[in-house]
Amino acid sequence: MQEHKPLTHRGIEIVLPEVPGAPVTWTHDESNTHGFARKVEGAICQISHFLGPDPECRVCLGTGADDYTALVYVPCRVCYPEAKE
C-alpha cells in the first residue's frame, strides 16, 4: 500500500483514495460539508467555489477578482486556481 502525503487546500484536507480509480474526497468539519471528485484538481475547484474568495488573499484582497476596476469580472488566480487566464 502506498502512503500519501496529506493534501490541504485553504485549510481543508483532501483525502486521496487507496484504490486506483476511486474518487478523491474532502470534508469541511466546521460546516459538515463534503465533496467527491475524480481528480485533486476537481476537489480544489469544488473547495474554491464552496469557500468563495479568500479574505487573506494578497492578490485580490478578498474581492475575488484580479482587477475589480475593470468592466468585466476576472477571477482571482489564487482564490480560484481553476480559472482560465
Side-chain angles (χ1 to χ4, degrees), residues 5-84:
K5 292 185 345 186
L7 297 172
T8 57
H9 177 65
R10 293 179 62 182
I12 296 178
E13 184 178 357
I14 299 171
V15 180
L16 299 173
E18 293 182 9
V19 178
V24 176
T25 60
W26 60 271
T27 303
H28 187 245
D29 294 331
E30 293 177 15
S31 65
N32 199 21
T33 304
H34 62 280
F36 301 94
R38 291 193 180 272
K39 296 183 179 182
V40 173
E41 293 82 15
I44 290 173
C45 176
Q46 290 176 1
I47 292 169
S48 296
H49 284 285
F50 170 68
L51 292 178
D54 187 0
E56 297 178 9
C57 178
R58 294 181 183 207
V59 174
C60 70
L61 303 176
T63 63
D66 272 345
D67 184 9
Y68 52 87
T69 60
L71 295 176
V72 296
Y73 181 80
V74 179
C76 175
R77 62 188 176 275
V78 176
C79 294
Y80 301 104
E82 71 282 354
K84 305 289 186 229

